[in-house]
Amino acid sequence: MDILKDLDPAQKEAVLATEGPVLIMAGAGSGKTRVLTYKVAYLISKGIKPSNIIAVTFTNKAANEMKERVYQLLHRHPGVATTTIGSRDSIASLQNDNNRLTINDSPYVGTFHAFCAKLLRFDGKHIGIPSGYLIYDSSDSLSLVKSIMKDLDIPPKSFKPSSILNAISGAKGELLLPSDYAQFARGYFGETVSKVYNLYQKTLLEINACDFDDLLMQTVKLFETSPQILEKWAGRFEYVLVDEYQDVNTSQYQLTKLLASTHGNLTVVGDASQAIYSFRGADFRNILNFKNDFPSAKVFNLEQNYRSTGNILSAANKIISQNASHPVLKLWTQNDTGEKISVYGAMNEVDEANFIVDRIFGSRLPLSSFAILYRTNAQSRTVEEAFLHSNIPYKLYGGVSFYARKEVKDVMAYLRLIANPRDTVSKNRTFKLGKRRFEKFDELREKLTLRGIGSDPRHKKHDDDVGEGRTLPKPIELIDKVLEATDYLKVIDDGTEEGLSRVENVKELKSVAADFENLPQFLENVTLMEGKVAPEKSYELPIEKDFVTLMTIHAAKGLEFDNVFIVGMEEGLFPHSRSMLDPGQIEEERRLAYVGLTRARKKLYLSYAANRLYFGTTSANLVSRFIIDIPEELVTAI
């Protein structure tokens, strides 16, 4: 058919397989979203009613991209029945008409959570959830956990409320109700979580609220306990399509199986080699179990890559081939072999950042063709400073500039208050972090200031600033003293990947402080850095401006750039030190490296440092195993 003329043979074959269970293993850059959108259009061209099709994915960004592609594709082919699909907004628009489901006769394209949230508005009443129920965000949920811990006399010092909430979230992702969790709870922490979870869930029900995890768990519960409701929805959706299937957790896995239980037409697309979100509860084994759940499933491998050069793909294939726990697709391309991968051994992290600046300036290419990728969020700091000094505009994708991050600004507020007790802005900021914490800090400040007065007769007033700072410890030592006195790291470390990233940002501030002998000079330097960022807002530039993109490799998934730098390719940094003793985690780090390499279209740079000042300490690490994995004929040392 004309609508399929732009597909390659493998893609076309996968699209034409419309009946029954279908597993599409789609490698990086092989056109998986293209296959899904074309499949939706092809089904409609066959006469399938659009409202009988549902396509779900994980993020609003991915859902919006899919909606746009479906809309464009349908309206580009007049032969497809599109008269009932009037606008982009009509796609994924659910309405409740006399208690009947209607979808404006358009395919539903959206996220798991958005779909379940609307479904529960229609039929949640069958399990006690009214149509006007509230949705608690993470802040609301954390406040509720804190309140329950207070009622149960569980001191926050025993367990962080955020850690307990994360455990509850994990339990819901595994479809464990409070009664189920209680059976598996072990140790003091597990028993504490069980008590809080029980009251937490009861309270949500009493106030007619659901948290984000409930949206999925309660929908599965509704389907499993109300056969007529399951038949209503599973009967309505004749074709169920799921994107990024390697990232589903247990609740999403069960939900998709239930939705496809009536007609059996379930198409899932994914790649186990790009499963990098285990910290969010994703389990790549779900994609491996698909053939066990559906023995008759048709399996298609999309291995032709349209993005990268031959050398980049060969390197990525070699790295990921070391994994043994999942099938690995061998990507190939008709693109040119391309340049060899450049590997740069820097003297230190500053030399590494300057190398990037030199290469960008020397290329004379548009800044928007470059991306800098790193394993941890804190690594952006050195590159940002090099860009600021060189007047290279940049944008932090999915984040904010290092010095604008909340945890960095919090610690800086403590230090500014030591330097100038009259700084009311810093005082208000630190006071909001907790009265008792502020009192502990104030005791430290008094002690430091009194020591300064006693050792230097020039200081006459206790509440004056600390002058040149010669009587105070060095800035890096001051940060340690502030963190110890305030126990601030416990405020930001909730055990999640985001919490660990915040801790790393604070520790990276020590790397900045290590270059200064006194506090005033350090504060002046940071202020100047902030000043360079704020007026230009270089990390928030409009999309039409030319800028370099900086991001973690996790954030880069789904994106692509002509030229990619991956920095910090050292053992302990990438792969991360937290993964070293766990073979499963090492495999995920390897998948993360595979994702990073396959973001590059034309040119790939990998860099490591012989010595790196990281978290305030200089260390010498071995070159990353991921560089060593790449055959010598594919690389050139700079």
Side-chain angles (χ1 to χ4, degrees), residues 126-127 220-228:
H126 295 280
I127 53 172
V220 172
K221 177 184 175 182
L222 174 63
F223 283 168
E224 291 180 337
T225 58
S226 304
Q228 73 280 10

Side-chain angles (χ1 to χ4, degrees), residues 452-461 471:
I453 293 172
S455 59
D456 192 334
R458 293 175 302 167
H459 293 276
K460 300 189 180 298
K461 289 186 179 180
T471 60

Side-chain angles (χ1 to χ4, degrees), residues 388 391-393 531-541:
L388 290 170
N391 293 315
I392 296 178
K532 286 185 178 182
V533 172
E536 300 172 5
K537 293 190 178 297
S538 55
Y539 54 95
E540 295 178 350
L541 284 172

Side-chain angles (χ1 to χ4, degrees), residues 77-357:
H77 293 273
V80 180
T82 61
T83 55
T84 58
I85 302 177
S87 68
R88 295 170 177 81
D89 294 337
S90 68
I91 298 178
S93 175
L94 299 183
Q95 295 181 349
N96 196 10
D97 180 17
N98 295 327
N99 207 30
R100 290 174 56 252
L101 171 66
T102 61
I103 317 182
N104 286 346
D105 207 23
S106 297
Y108 180 89
V109 181
T111 65
F112 281 99
H113 288 89
F115 171 71
C116 290
K118 293 174 182 178
L119 186 151
L120 290 174
R121 299 262 182 228
F122 301 141
D123 290 318
K125 58 182 177 293
H126 295 280
I127 53 172
I129 300 175
S131 60
Y133 74 92
L134 302 173
I135 298 178
Y136 264 32
D137 62 19
S138 55
S139 177
D140 298 324
S141 297
L142 185 59
S143 295
L144 179 55
V145 167
K146 289 178 179 178
S147 175
I148 291 171
M149 289 178 66
K150 185 176 181 181
D151 292 341
L152 293 175
D153 292 324
I154 301 172
K157 287 187 176 181
S158 298
F159 300 111
K160 297 174 189 173
S162 54
S163 297
I164 290 179
L165 180 59
N166 289 333
I168 293 172
S169 176
K172 290 186 175 186
E174 293 296 320
L175 298 176
L176 295 176
L177 297 170
S179 56
D180 301 320
Y181 187 87
Q183 298 178 28
F184 297 100
R186 297 291 183 272
Y188 184 40
F189 178 73
E191 292 171 359
T192 302
V193 172
S194 181
K195 292 177 184 177
V196 175
Y197 184 13
N198 186 50
L199 283 179
Y200 175 82
Q201 203 60 20
K202 284 182 178 177
T203 304
L204 287 178
L205 291 174
E206 289 171 358
I207 61 178
N208 295 327
C210 289
D211 62 19
F212 284 148
D213 298 300
D214 277 330
L215 299 177
L216 300 173
M217 186 178 75
Q218 297 290 9
T219 300
V220 172
K221 177 184 175 182
L222 174 63
F223 283 168
E224 291 180 337
T225 58
S226 304
Q228 73 280 10
I229 301 301
L230 173 60
E231 176 56 32
K232 170 185 173 181
W233 291 85
R236 181 65 181 247
F237 292 118
E238 296 180 35
Y239 295 89
V240 180
L241 297 85
V242 185
D243 194 14
E244 303 286 9
Y245 200 67
Q246 78 279 351
D247 292 333
V248 299
N249 62 18
T250 299
S251 60
Q252 291 157 338
Y253 179 71
Q254 188 65 13
L255 176 65
T256 55
K257 286 177 62 178
L258 289 167
L259 270 177
S261 60
T262 297
H263 299 284
N265 300 321
L266 173 61
T267 295
V268 302
V269 183
D271 179 12
S273 295
Q274 297 185 74
I276 58 174
Y277 297 118
S278 64
F279 62 91
R280 295 180 185 170
D283 188 348
F284 72 90
R285 290 171 296 185
N286 287 325
I287 198 170
L288 307 183
N289 291 332
F290 190 84
K291 287 189 287 186
N292 296 330
D293 291 337
F294 304 98
S296 63
K298 303 180 186 73
V299 181
F300 301 92
N301 291 341
L302 303 184
E303 296 178 303
Q304 182 174 359
N305 176 282
Y306 292 90
R307 176 187 302 153
S308 306
T309 64
N311 279 337
I312 292 172
L313 289 184
S314 294
N317 283 335
K318 190 63 178 178
I319 289 174
I320 197 61
S321 67
Q322 309 297 317
N323 276 6
S325 64
H326 56 83
V328 173
L329 300 174
K330 188 169 184 179
L331 300 183
W332 62 276
T333 185
Q334 292 181 344
N335 296 338
D336 294 337
T337 301
E339 295 185 50
K340 289 186 177 182
I341 297 164
S342 295
V343 175
Y344 181 65
M347 292 183 294
N348 52 44
E349 74 285 351
V350 176
D351 181 33
E352 182 180 53
N354 289 337
F355 163 74
I356 295 172
V357 170

